[in-house]
Amino acid sequence: MSYPKRTAALASVAALAGSAVLMAAPAAHAAVVNVNYQCKTPIGDKSAVSPIDIKGVKSGSGYKVTMSWQKGVSSSPVDLGKGAMNPSATIKLGGADSGTMSVTGPANQAVVPANTPIKINDLTGTYTPKKSGKVTFTAGVLTIKALGTTTTCTPTNSPGASLTLDVTAASGSSGGTRSDSGSDPSGALPQTGPEDSVIALGTLGGTVLLAGAAGTLWLTRRNQAARARR
């Protein structure tokens, strides 16, 4: 093969390889976003800024979503013993989907000293797409329950999405629940096939037959009565 032809062939291979890389690129975008939390605590209002990271990994027909805090938020005036604190949070959905999803996690595995920022363990949840398209995941409300009290931390700086996923809804998914009054509990629609036509005709035939028999009986009795009067 001549040099020019070999160069052209190598260029074609490189172009195809580049196209394959682009096609194989993951349909997801993640970014660490600073979230300004305003917290309502049993001892008054507090605020803290924490970078939030949200990741999504395909799992069956849905995604396992993990929310991580890179800095602590809020604090406690007393030590929180092991297992005394239970966190949970919501994640706002946007783009092709809407609403919120919940994420939860384990209680604190070590003592949280008094008056120190509370580090939240990673929280996880499962997201199942209802619609296909690009869905965004944005930090929502954080709730911390400890020693019989509840602290609620709400983002106040309108943070951007920490994660964007290009998802595909499972086959047969729908955006709502249909309810038909008086329908079969099994959800089956009324049949309108040939069998129903046969049954309907048979019923109609039976009605005509009964009507015919009744008419014949009436005429017979009428004739007998007329002959008796003669």
Side-chain angles (χ1 to χ4, degrees):
M1 181 183 294
S2 64
Y3 180 78
K5 289 183 178 180
R6 183 166 48 194
T7 302
L10 290 174
S12 298
V13 172
L16 290 173
S19 299
V21 170
L22 290 175
M23 291 176 64
H29 172 73
V32 177
V33 176
N34 287 328
V35 178
N36 186 353
Y37 284 105
Q38 295 294 322
C39 301
K40 299 290 185 181
T41 80
I43 58 173
D45 295 348
K46 294 182 177 293
S47 62
V49 176
S50 176
I52 299 296
D53 182 24
I54 301 177
K55 289 184 171 62
V57 179
K58 194 77 171 69
S59 177
S61 60
Y63 293 81
K64 179 182 178 182
V65 176
T66 302
M67 187 176 187
S68 303
W69 280 259
Q70 296 188 3
K71 289 185 179 180
V73 296
S74 189
S75 62
S76 170
V78 298
D79 289 353
L80 296 179
K82 181 179 179 180
M85 179 194 72
N86 291 281
S88 62
T90 60
I91 297 176
K92 295 180 182 178
L93 305 175
D97 207 345
S98 60
T100 61
M101 66 167 291
S102 300
V103 286
T104 58
N108 58 305
Q109 299 172 351
V111 174
V112 179
N115 301 313
T116 60
I118 297 175
K119 177 66 171 68
I120 306 298
N121 291 325
D122 289 354
L123 305 182
T124 61
T126 300
Y127 168 69
T128 302
K130 297 178 182 178
K131 297 181 179 180
S132 300
K134 293 185 182 298
V135 178
T136 60
F137 298 75
T138 304
V141 177
L142 167 67
T143 302
I144 302 172
K145 294 186 177 183
L147 304 179
T149 66
T150 300
T151 293
T152 303
C153 299
T154 304
T156 59
N157 61 331
S158 299
S162 296
L163 174 66
T164 301
L165 288 177
D166 194 351
V167 304
T168 301
S171 177
S173 296
S174 61
T177 301
R178 192 186 70 161
S179 176
D180 293 324
S181 177
S183 62
D184 189 335
S186 67
L189 295 175
Q191 294 183 358
T192 57
E195 292 182 0
D196 291 286
S197 301
V198 172
I199 293 172
L201 290 174
T203 303
L204 178 60
T207 303
V208 172
L209 178 63
L210 289 174
T216 302
L217 180 61
W218 180 78
L219 288 174
T220 301
R221 289 181 177 178
R222 182 182 176 183
N223 292 335
Q224 290 175 347
R227 284 197 295 270
R229 285 196 297 272
R230 293 176 187 174

